[in-house]
Amino acid sequence: MTLQAVLDDLSKRPGSGEVIPIINPATEETITEFTDCGPEAVDEAAARAKASFESGAWSQLPGRERAKVLRRIGQLIDEHAEEFAQLDSLNTGMPLMQAQLQMSTVSEFFRYYAGWCTKLNGVAYDVKTDGIASDAYVDMHAYTLKEPYDVVGLIFPWNGPIFNASAKLAPALAAGSSLLVKPAEETPLSAVLLDRLIHEAGVPEGVVNLLTGYGHTAGAAITAHPDVEKAAFTGSTEVGKEIVRASADNLKKVTLELGGKSPVLIFDDADMDKALLMAPLGIFVHSGQGCVCGSRIFAQRGVYDQVVAGISTMANTFKLGAPSEEGCVSGPLISHKQLTRVMGFIDEGKSDGVEVVTGGYRLGRKGYFVHPTVLTNVDTKMRLYQQEIFGPVVTILPFDDEDEGVALANDTTYGLAATAWTQNVGRAHRMLKRLHAGSVQVNCQLVFDHDVPFGGHKQSGWGHEFGKEGIDIYLKTKSAWIQL
Ligand code: NAD
């Protein structure tokens, strides 16, 4: 499917709301426009989804048959990998090579969850209950059934459009649900292609319903809809809370993958070569627009100067550019809105006395590029230290000992990821226990596997994606009893 075909498909989708422009963040040029689908389209999609679920065409298909379709989706994604990479890099500004590298992970989501389709079993219990009218025990056969939620709303952000879409669609389809799918308004392009391939692979009509529009219109209509039994959301903590409030009327089940302000502790016994390579990558890759980016670095006093110098040097060698520019490792911020937000944090810090070791400015060229920025002399009460910036901005603070480092790291309302760099085995294990985050990594950063659950503690989320837990969130447990 060519770019033009994707744009045509998007522009032909019915809509009743505002016209939404899609801007190329590397050039600030308009790629295309489309019409917000509006709440009526959400109503229609919910009715289609409910009817398709009740028809059983997908929900009652034997697991092995759903698995075949999921594997076929994975295969089609592989065949169209280059088109997906082009769409995501055009739409987000991420370097083309980065967009290409993610594609094998994306198709693997469908193969991985294809494997779970035949394993959605409950547990059997051999029970003797107390008799109601006599002292005799009553033999029971009890077991649990795992059943899909009927209509599920999937809502995700712009920072990794095809990755985020696949991470949700693959397990939700494997479970057997019917879906309302809403990509971010800034980045719907790869979702349009995925929607096309999902249908080509054999998912019946009505099961996957793509809705393109704003969060406050289409997204809000999905999360408030009485026929949507479950919502799975990836995005900011702020919107996550709105979704919880909106879901209250029908007590929708909600899972949330939210923001972070992840700490990175570098102890004086760390392998400094590795730490000073990975810690800067862990914040500046994708211009800091990754949920697990390590935006708060803490260096033990003995290596503090070395850490500040090493990270600043890497920040200055990070080549920013448009996806097609040779050798660029990072792209622009997604939008003018995000640029204003990131620069707002930096400017506020400057006027509050923060030291800008490097960066702190927008590049003097077209596109929403911000130079990787290293800040020291930061007060922990500052907004830029406490809130997720979602840009290429890192603060570096010193600490004296393990207790102080852990206390600083944990002093946040977020709990998505945390990292420790140390070669002391005991300390490595202590960090895994003591750091308060859903994903704690020692001597590595940005690690991921389809098999390993991922999710946030504290205000970084509810529930986990990936692995078995990633399909459990789309299944409800029913207890079944038979008196023998
Ligand atoms: P966002 O919360 O503004 O938007 C995310 C999605 O929600 C978009 O599709 C948007 O249209 C929709 N939305 C907005 N308002 C809504 C509403 N009232 N009701 C329903 N839907 C609504 O987030 P963003 O700026 O697009 O993405 C960046 C955020 O996503 C960051 O906070 C980042 O940490 C987070 N994120 C988290 C993970 C994770 O796995 N934990 C992964 C990627 C991104």
Side-chain angles (χ1 to χ4, degrees), residues 155-159 164 182-186 213-216 218-221 223 233-237 239-240 242-243 257-260 290-292 337-338 388 390 416 454 460 465:
I155 302 176
F156 40 88
W158 43 261
N159 66 327
N164 287 324
K182 200 201 89 58
E185 53 272 27
E186 298 89 345
Y214 281 122
H216 64 272
T223 48
F233 171 77
T234 299
S236 60
T237 295
V239 173
E242 281 182 45
I243 285 173
E257 295 286 346
L258 306 177
C291 54
V292 292
K337 184 174 153 206
Q338 189 64 9
E388 183 185 43
F390 222 52
L416 193 60
F454 172 81
S460 288
E465 291 193 323

Side-chain angles (χ1 to χ4, degrees), residues 68-199:
K68 278 183 200 161
V69 178
L70 261 72
R71 281 195 288 272
R72 173 96 181 109
I73 298 172
Q75 184 189 330
L76 287 170
I77 291 175
D78 284 341
E79 288 167 15
H80 294 263
E82 185 56 27
E83 287 152 68
F84 277 113
Q86 297 272 356
L87 289 172
D88 265 10
S89 71
L90 173 71
N91 214 168
T92 63
M94 75 167 78
L96 183 58
M97 199 179 76
Q98 214 171 298
Q100 287 165 332
L101 281 175
Q102 67 170 353
M103 288 316 301
S104 56
T105 303
V106 166
S107 57
E108 188 60 24
F109 272 123
F110 289 91
R111 282 186 286 271
Y112 175 80
Y113 280 107
W116 278 107
C117 291
T118 49
K119 299 167 191 69
L120 307 180
N121 302 313
V123 177
Y125 301 87
D126 191 11
V127 181
K128 287 182 192 300
T129 61
D130 291 336
I132 291 172
S134 78
D135 287 345
Y137 292 121
V138 179
D139 281 330
M140 295 278 179
H141 175 46
Y143 57 96
T144 50
L145 288 165
K146 291 289 184 183
E147 297 180 344
Y149 290 107
D150 49 20
V151 180
V152 177
L154 306 178
I155 302 176
F156 40 88
W158 43 261
N159 66 327
I162 187 61
F163 182 95
N164 287 324
S166 303
K168 289 202 160 15
L169 271 148
L173 279 174
S177 296
S178 288
L179 310 174
L180 308 187
V181 180
K182 200 201 89 58
E185 53 272 27
E186 298 89 345
T187 55
L189 299 184
S190 54
V192 170
L193 176 55
L194 183 61
D195 183 57
R196 177 77 70 98
L197 299 184
I198 281 173
H199 288 100

